[in-house]
């Protein structure tokens, strides 16, 4: 298969009634197009896609490593499933392209993060990734570091820690809507064109426009993130002029299925909603396929584009637990898609018992099936396991049971409580009274029974703690008035001061608040108290958070009004580690600090 870098399209007529009958939201998606010409030997292809991999070299722990109860994920197993699906496609005479929709790196476990995500890039290159869009987490260490991951070279500070250099990604990162503020040119290739049995198919890649609000601003000061729809359509216009009629959009934005039913089937589209719906609705019909991500949800949908025809829209959850198997055909004469069908395949890694359940060890951890391990991937992962083991396997504390990030109806999690308490204790010397933690910064659960390095049940290693908080954010304490604190809490809900999503902050012991979701934006917080005493709007309070929040991240721009900022030594992971040791054994938070009235 030959690849060129440029941009592309597909023109399809609206589906006939017969076409619409082929798919419902409760079945794997399949769409056919009436292109008005007879197929003269269809060119057949297959896209194998996944998104939000987040450096899951090892199987994820807790709920993040399950798909409706099936243990899944880990690159040793992902590589096996991808290679099997690729072989099946090639045996059927299909051109196979492996594609991603961003967040391949960033927010990664220690085994990858300790080496600036070089292990993840190497693993994805090894399994045959061809092309992926950037996601917001590709910008965690800034544009310069992202370019290094693409083109290679040793880290400017830490060098090549594994001693054998770093060649960069064998696959291509696409960033059509991320442009340099001066040149107005994309910082990486915007488009990758692949030839499927002689028919060109263009892949356009981008992240969500809202990326600046959810990454550290320090690394993206010289770039601008453009609107997804207008950017995609601009490249579609260019591609049509050079005769390309079939296009795939790789975009790091998504949606989710909603009950009923519960649980949802990975390949369904039940009661689907999310930002990707409006993006697809604005796309030119040349985009027959959209591979999406960001929400960490699974689905395969048919959503209407700007012409009213259906575009196939997919997502494979997160952490390499699923691969989307997308088969398509192209008419050689018109060079347009004639059909697209997609399903999500679980990347199983467990040992299935005769009764259909999954084998576990004495501590309740899932056993992994060695027959599903890819040898090459294992060698790579073992290399980095060995290198990071002295740090990762150090026991730092104990817990009394599973402490999860699962939120209750009010948006509070047991792990959120623990992390906020940890940051409050860590900044006692700065006279901290309240600590607030963004839920998106809590990336995994703490499992009582899981053992990453042979430790006893209930013992927590540094590596496990790092997986929970992998960003190396600073911990800062600043002064806010009671009125300013209320405005920060009002920004938990969309519609106030530029906030676009609901993000309920986790709070430390002694502080509590209540809210009414039915009230108008800016007036949802109904009560706040510290130590049982109502917050005084005119009084001053010392409030701790990570620097991402303090600098206005996740849309919490009201945080930037704080004064008298003090930065604690070390990082947020150090606060958690200190708390896990000092307060051992740590129990799950009681989730009784936030009250949702309505």
């Amino acid at each position: 298969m030959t690849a060129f870098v440029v941009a592309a399209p597909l023109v399809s007529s609206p589906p006939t009634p017969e076409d619409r009958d082929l798919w419902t939201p409760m079945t794997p998606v399949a769409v056919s197009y009436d292109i008005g010409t007879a197929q003269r030997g269809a060119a057949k292809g297959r896209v194998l896609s996944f998104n939000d991999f987040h450096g899951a070299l090892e199987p994820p722990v807790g709920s993040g490593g399950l798909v409706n109860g099936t243990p899944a994920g880990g690159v040793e197993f992902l590589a096996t499933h991808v290679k099997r699906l690729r072989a099946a496609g090639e045996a059927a005479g299909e051109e196979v392209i492996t594609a991603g929709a961003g967040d391949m790196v960033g927010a990664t476990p220690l085994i990858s993060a300790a080496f600036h995500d070089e292990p993840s890039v190497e693993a994805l290159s090894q399994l045959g990734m061809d092309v992926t869009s950037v996601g917001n987490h590709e910008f965690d260490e800034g544009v310069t570091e992202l370019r290094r991951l693409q083109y290679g070279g040793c880290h400017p500070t830490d060098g090549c820690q594994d001693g054998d250099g770093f060649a960069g990604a064998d696959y291509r990162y696409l960033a059509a809507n991320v442009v340099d503020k001066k040149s107005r040119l994309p910082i990486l290739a915007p488009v990758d064109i692949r030839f499927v049995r002689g028919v060109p198919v263009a892949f356009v890649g981008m992240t969500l426009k809202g990326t600046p609000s959810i990454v550290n601003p320090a690394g993206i000061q010289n770039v601008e993130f453009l609107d997804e729809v207008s950017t995609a359509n601009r490249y579609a216009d260019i591609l049509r002029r050079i005769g390309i009629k079939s296009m795939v959009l790789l975009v790091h934005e998504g949606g989710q299925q909603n009950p009923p039913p519960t649980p949802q089937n990975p390949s369904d589209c039940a009661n689907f909603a999310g930002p990707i719906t409006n993006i697809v609705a604005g796309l030119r019909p040349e985009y027959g396929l959209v591979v999406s991500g960001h929400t960490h949800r699974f689905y395969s949908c048919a959503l209407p584009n700007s012409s009213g025809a259906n575009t196939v829209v997919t997502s494979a959850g997160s952490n390499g637990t699923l691969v989307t198997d997308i088969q398509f055909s192209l008419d050689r004469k018109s060079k347009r898609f004639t059909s697209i069908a997609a399903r999500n395949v679980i990347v199983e890694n467990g040992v299935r018992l005769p009764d259909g359940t999954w084998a576990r060890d004495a501590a309740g951890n899932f056993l992994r099936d060695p027959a599903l391990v890819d040898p090459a991937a294992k060698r790579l992962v073992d290399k980095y396991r060995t290198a990071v083991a002295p740090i990762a396997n150090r026991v730092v504390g104990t817990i009394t049971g599973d402490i999860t990030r699962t939120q209750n109806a009010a948006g509070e999690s047991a792990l959120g409580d623990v992390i906020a308490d940890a940051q409050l204790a860590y900044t006692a010397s700065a006279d901290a009274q309240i600590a607030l933690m963004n839920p998106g910064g809590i990336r995994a659960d703490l499992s009582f029974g899981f053992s990453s390095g042979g430790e006893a049940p209930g013992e927590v290693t540094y590596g496990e703690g790092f997986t929970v908080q992998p960003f190396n954010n600073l911990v800062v304490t600043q002064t806010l008035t009671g009125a300013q604190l209320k405005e920060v809490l009002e920004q938990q809900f969309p519609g106030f001061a530029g906030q676009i999503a609901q993000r309920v902050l986790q709070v430390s012991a002694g502080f509590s608040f209540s809210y009414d979701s039915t009230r108008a934006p800016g007036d949802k917080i109904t009560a706040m108290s510290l130590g049982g005493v109502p917050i005084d709007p005119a009084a001053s309070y010392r409030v701790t958070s990570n620097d991402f929040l303090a600098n206005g991240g996740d849309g919490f721009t009201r945080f930037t009004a704080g004064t008298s900022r003090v930065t604690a030594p070390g990082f947020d992971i150090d606060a958690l580690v200190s708390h896990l040791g000092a307060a051992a054994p740590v129990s799950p938070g009681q989730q009784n600090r936030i009250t949702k009235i309505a």
Side-chain angles (χ1 to χ4, degrees):
M1 184 191 310
T2 305
F4 293 91
V5 182
V6 201
L10 135 80
V11 177
S12 64
S13 301
T16 65
E18 291 75 15
D19 293 329
R20 293 189 181 98
D21 291 341
L22 293 176
W23 179 78
T24 74
M26 305 304 292
T27 60
V29 66
V31 174
S32 297
Y33 300 95
D34 178 8
I35 62 171
T37 62
Q39 285 188 249
R40 291 177 170 82
K44 295 184 178 181
R46 182 179 295 211
V47 173
L48 304 176
S49 65
F50 52 94
N51 49 277
D52 297 275
F53 177 63
H54 289 296
L57 302 183
E58 299 178 298
V61 178
S63 60
L66 295 172
V67 178
N68 293 348
T70 298
V75 79
E76 296 160 298
F77 303 94
L78 175 64
T80 295
H81 286 75
V82 167
K83 289 177 181 180
R84 288 179 179 179
L85 290 168
R86 182 181 295 131
E90 291 172 347
E94 300 167 344
E95 290 279 3
V96 183
I97 302 128
T98 304
D103 279 9
M104 297 294 112
V105 299
T108 53
L110 188 63
I111 188 175
S112 182
F115 305 95
H116 298 282
D117 284 330
E118 292 173 16
S120 295
V121 171
E122 291 172 358
L124 293 170
S125 297
Q126 187 184 77
L127 71 72
M129 174 71 76
D130 292 307
V131 59
T132 181
S133 70
V134 295
N136 55 286
H137 281 290
E138 265 79 19
F139 295 92
D140 282 351
E141 293 192 43
V143 172
T144 300
E145 174 64 1
L146 171 57
R147 285 179 169 140
R148 186 185 74 86
L149 293 180
Q150 174 71 93
Y151 300 118
C154 296
H155 190 271
T157 301
D158 296 330
C160 287
Q161 300 174 80
D162 62 357
D164 60 4
F166 178 63
D170 288 344
Y171 53 91
R172 190 179 302 282
Y173 269 116
L174 302 181
N177 70 329
V178 188
V179 299
D180 182 273
K181 287 181 178 179
K182 290 183 178 179
S183 71
R184 307 306 297 172
L185 295 174
I187 61 166
L188 293 170
V191 179
D192 189 30
I193 297 177
R194 300 266 158 176
F195 284 85
V196 178
R197 299 292 187 250
V199 180
V201 177
F203 289 75
V204 178
M206 62 186 67
T207 186
L208 69 158
K209 180 183 178 182
T211 292
S213 69
I214 51 177
V215 302
N216 193 315
I220 58 170
Q221 294 178 351
N222 297 322
V223 298
E224 182 178 346
F225 294 81
L226 306 179
D227 179 74
E228 302 95 338
V229 174
S230 59
T231 302
N233 288 343
R234 181 167 65 253
Y235 280 100
D237 287 340
I238 295 171
L239 292 162
R240 286 192 311 149
R241 293 191 187 107
I242 61 174
I244 297 176
K245 305 293 181 63
S246 298
M247 179 178 294
V248 178
L249 180 64
L250 309 175
V251 58
H252 192 69
E253 182 60 288
Q256 67 179 48
Q257 301 185 64
N258 293 283
T262 300
Q264 288 89 34
N265 185 293
S267 295
D268 287 352
C269 190
N271 301 298
F272 186 81
I276 195 65
T277 301
N278 289 335
I279 291 175
V280 175
L283 293 178
R284 292 187 58 89
E286 287 83 2
Y287 290 99
L289 172 63
V290 172
V291 178
S292 65
H294 188 53
T295 56
H296 290 202
R297 299 295 190 267
F298 48 62
Y299 47 84
S300 67
C301 298
L303 302 178
N305 57 46
S306 64
S307 74
N310 278 331
T311 291
V312 172
V313 182
T314 69
S315 176
S318 64
N319 294 320
T321 56
L322 293 159
V323 177
T324 310
D325 183 15
I326 308 164
Q327 294 177 280
F328 64 89
S329 60
L330 301 154
D331 181 71
R332 293 182 185 277
K333 182 177 181 181
S334 66
K335 297 181 174 57
R336 300 173 184 173
F337 285 119
T338 57
S339 66
I340 305 173
R343 65 187 179 106
N344 277 320
V345 178
I346 300 177
V347 178
E348 295 181 4
N349 61 27
V351 177
R352 190 186 293 271
L353 298 174
D355 64 359
T357 61
W358 299 94
R360 299 174 183 256
D361 63 18
N365 301 302
F366 289 106
L367 298 179
R368 308 302 178 184
D369 187 349
L372 295 176
V373 171
D374 179 77
K378 184 179 187 304
R379 285 192 295 273
L380 180 66
V381 175
D382 281 347
K383 167 188 169 181
Y384 288 106
R385 280 192 187 110
T386 301
V388 82
I391 302 171
N393 294 339
R394 177 170 61 91
V395 174
V396 297
T398 58
I399 56 178
T400 63
D402 291 346
I403 307 180
T404 76
R405 55 192 167 144
T406 303
Q407 297 179 351
N408 62 16
E412 185 177 357
S413 73
L415 187 51
D417 288 352
V418 169
I419 291 173
D421 289 348
Q423 295 189 2
L424 181 66
Y426 195 67
T427 53
S429 62
D431 300 320
Q433 298 168 279
I434 300 166
L436 303 175
M437 175 65 194
N438 56 308
I442 306 172
R443 306 301 298 189
D445 303 330
L446 287 175
S447 170
F448 180 85
F450 178 71
S451 175
S452 60
E455 72 277 7
E459 291 185 329
V460 180
T461 66
Y462 182 86
E464 290 165 352
F466 190 91
T467 301
V468 172
Q469 289 195 275
F471 294 110
N472 275 339
N473 288 318
L474 300 174
V475 183
V476 302
T477 305
Q478 58 185 333
T479 298
L480 295 172
T481 67
Q484 290 170 329
L485 178 59
K486 181 179 183 295
E487 289 202 327
V488 167
L489 296 182
E490 292 289 359
Q491 278 195 303
Q492 296 174 113
F493 310 102
F496 177 69
Q499 182 59 274
I500 60 174
Q502 178 165 311
R503 299 181 175 98
V504 177
L505 296 172
Q506 308 300 290
V507 304
S508 55
F511 179 70
S512 62
F513 71 88
S514 60
Y515 68 92
D516 183 341
S517 63
T518 66
R519 294 171 68 160
D523 189 38
K524 294 183 185 292
I525 302 301
T526 57
M528 303 180 295
S529 66
L530 179 62
V533 179
I535 293 293
D536 181 351
S540 294
Y541 299 88
R542 295 291 285 167
V543 181
T544 291
S545 69
N546 58 49
D547 65 327
F548 171 71
L549 272 181
N551 293 332
D554 272 350
F556 286 95
T557 56
R558 291 298 195 258
F559 251 119
T560 61
T563 59
S564 303
R565 181 183 292 199
V566 174
T567 302
F571 302 101
D572 52 1
I573 178 59
D574 298 308
L576 178 60
V577 165
S578 175
H579 184 68
L580 289 171
V586 175
S587 299
Q590 295 183 4
Q591 299 175 264
N592 59 357
R593 305 168 186 178
I594 303 172
T595 301
K596 180 180 180 181
I597 296 174

